[in-house]
Amino acid sequence: MINQPKSDINTFPQTTPFSDIIVTFTSTDDFNKLSTKNINSYPFFEREYLELFSNNFNCNPYYLCVKHDNRIIMEGYFDKLDEQLILLGMRPVLGGQELTDYGDVIYSGYISGDLGVKLWGETKSYLSTMGIKTIRLDYLRADSPTLLFLKSLPNVEISDQEVAPFIELSAGFEGILNRINKKDRQELKRKLRRLEAIDYKFEVKTEISETDFNEFIRLHRLSDPLKEKFMSKAMAEYFKMLIRLRFKNWNVNMAFLEIEGKNAASVLFFSNGIVLMGYNSGYDPLFTYYSPGLMSKVKLMQWAIENGFQTFDTLRGNERYKYDLGAVDLKLYKAIIKL
């Protein structure tokens, strides 16, 4: 490793070679740096999402790029908070609200454990010369290679942070129900029969109109006092921009459950033809008898199965309805890297 004196962080960009590894860390507002192909694509890692978040919440974005044999192999955007780096998108906003469900850097392809450890070791060494004291990685999925690499490095604390329940859809709707305990399965079927005995309609919107959006906001605010607090005027403006994004790998969709001619529930979700991610939802308490919040997810799950999706990812949180649908936990972890 080449020794380098400490530098003022505002003098970026700088590049320092470590044998066959080159680490670059640059202050930037250019969100077109990310490679177009990566092995762990989620909407929260896409350039469109990161740019929207950064521009709306006054972040201090930096781009990390790590090359091996002159090829980008690890990259990501960070938010600099004094001497700490956090993943871009993880800053609490608008009264402490968290909007980003998963965090990680991006790997351009499979890399071995030994190389991954080396990449992070050299990254730690380089960033320490830039005045960075800690790196905090929030909501790392249990299947993230980053966890494997960091466990082999000194001065890294990894702890449980939350869960993200998910449902594998390959068994079909009846197969999923059979995985649920008998009491909960019978209760779910009873609620479904109650809904299907009345005039109802379920529709997925691939194009979200202004009317659709306003209905989603109305239902979201109605469903829970905490959700009403969450969906402030400023947050609603952010969501309006979010649904207009055109991701490379994901679509932003809405689904509505209509009961007796009126919107009773809505779900905002991301989809890519393989995975459906339920991002946010709401319902009208006037229709509580028909369990519109739960039934909108049941109908969405059935729609996903019919359209060939493999996984229904309910994202962060251990709300009861997720387990009522047969979801199982995926653990999420927090890593604190001390430099």
Side-chain angles (χ1 to χ4, degrees):
M1 184 176 71
I2 298 176
N3 292 323
Q4 179 175 319
K6 292 184 181 292
S7 303
D8 187 322
I9 199 147
N10 294 316
T11 64
F12 289 156
Q14 297 182 37
T15 301
T16 302
F18 297 99
S19 61
D20 56 346
I21 293 178
I22 297 177
V23 181
T24 305
F25 190 62
T26 311
S27 175
T28 183
D29 57 3
D30 180 2
F31 290 89
N32 290 311
K33 294 178 178 291
L34 288 180
S35 301
T36 56
K37 295 182 179 180
N38 58 76
I39 63 171
N40 52 354
S41 173
Y42 299 102
F44 312 108
F45 304 167
E46 300 271 342
R47 61 172 63 95
E48 295 85 359
Y49 178 88
L50 296 172
E51 183 172 18
L52 175 66
F53 189 97
S54 182
N55 290 344
N56 275 271
F57 301 122
N58 299 315
C59 298
N60 188 14
Y62 282 74
Y63 172 66
L64 172 71
C65 178
V66 184
K67 292 184 178 181
H68 174 62
D69 289 340
N70 205 34
R71 180 172 66 91
I72 295 176
I73 197 167
M74 185 176 92
E75 59 184 335
Y77 279 92
F78 287 81
D79 193 358
K80 183 175 178 291
L81 306 175
D82 297 323
E83 297 178 336
Q84 182 183 57
L85 296 180
I86 62 173
L87 290 163
L88 186 59
M90 292 300 171
R91 179 192 292 252
V93 300
L94 301 178
Q97 306 295 343
E98 295 184 343
L99 300 180
T100 304
D101 284 70
Y102 296 145
D104 212 335
V105 295
I106 293 172
Y107 302 96
S108 59
Y110 171 79
I111 58 177
S112 68
D114 288 344
L115 178 57
V117 172
K118 186 177 182 182
L119 292 174
W120 273 102
E122 301 292 13
T123 298
K124 282 182 60 182
S125 297
Y126 177 73
L127 292 177
S128 69
T129 71
M130 298 294 104
I132 303 299
K133 300 298 183 184
T134 61
I135 305 171
R136 174 172 171 153
L137 306 178
D138 287 291
Y139 303 123
L140 293 167
R141 291 169 51 99
D143 55 5
S144 168
T146 300
L147 287 169
L148 176 65
F149 305 149
L150 293 180
K151 286 178 180 178
S152 300
L153 291 174
N155 301 316
V156 176
E157 299 175 1
I158 297 175
S159 58
D160 293 359
Q161 192 168 18
E162 204 167 337
V163 294
F166 68 98
I167 307 165
E168 289 295 346
L169 304 177
S170 58
F173 186 62
E174 289 300 322
I176 293 168
L177 291 183
N178 289 335
R179 295 200 296 255
I180 305 172
N181 69 66
K182 183 177 180 180
K183 180 180 178 181
D184 290 340
R185 180 170 65 249
Q186 290 176 338
E187 179 67 11
L188 187 62
K189 287 185 174 181
R190 184 183 66 81
K191 292 177 178 178
L192 188 56
R193 287 194 301 269
R194 178 183 290 171
L195 175 68
E196 293 178 341
I198 63 169
D199 179 24
Y200 83 94
K201 177 182 177 183
F202 180 78
E203 184 178 7
V204 170
K205 303 290 187 76
T206 55
E207 296 293 332
I208 303 171
S209 69
E210 184 173 355
T211 299
D212 295 333
F213 176 75
N214 290 336
E215 274 295 278
F216 166 77
I217 296 298
R218 182 183 71 86
L219 292 166
H220 186 278
R221 288 170 171 165
L222 280 174
S223 57
D224 183 88
L226 290 178
K227 286 192 172 186
E228 182 179 17
K229 180 180 179 181
F230 169 88
M231 193 57 75
S232 62
K233 183 178 179 180
M235 188 68 78
E237 287 299 316
Y238 172 77
F239 269 71
K240 180 178 287 188
M241 290 182 282
L242 176 66
I243 67 167
R244 301 291 180 231
L245 293 181
R246 293 294 179 263
F247 294 101
K248 180 176 179 62
N249 301 305
W250 293 85
N251 298 310
V252 185
N253 305 121
M254 276 186 188
F256 286 90
L257 175 63
E258 188 178 292
I259 294 177
E260 298 178 344
K262 297 181 179 180
N263 286 324
S266 179
V267 183
L268 173 65
F269 65 94
F270 301 110
S271 65
N272 67 358
I274 299 173
V275 178
L276 185 153
M277 292 183 166
Y279 185 56
N280 228 310
S281 63
Y283 68 91
D284 189 338
L286 287 176
F287 296 95
T288 297
Y289 178 74
Y290 297 106
S291 306
L294 178 62
M295 289 298 100
S296 64
K297 276 80 168 186
V298 170
K299 289 299 176 181
L300 182 58
M301 182 168 67
Q302 291 177 324
W303 177 88
I305 293 169
E306 292 167 0
N307 285 273
F309 284 80
Q310 298 176 11
T311 305
F312 184 175
D313 186 343
T314 69
L315 297 178
R316 287 196 290 113
N318 61 352
E319 294 88 346
R320 171 61 190 271
Y321 81 84
K322 299 180 179 183
Y323 306 105
D324 289 342
L325 296 176
V328 295
D329 284 343
L330 174 77
K331 285 190 174 182
L332 304 179
Y333 295 88
K334 174 177 64 178
I336 303 294
I337 306 168
K338 298 179 180 179
L339 308 186

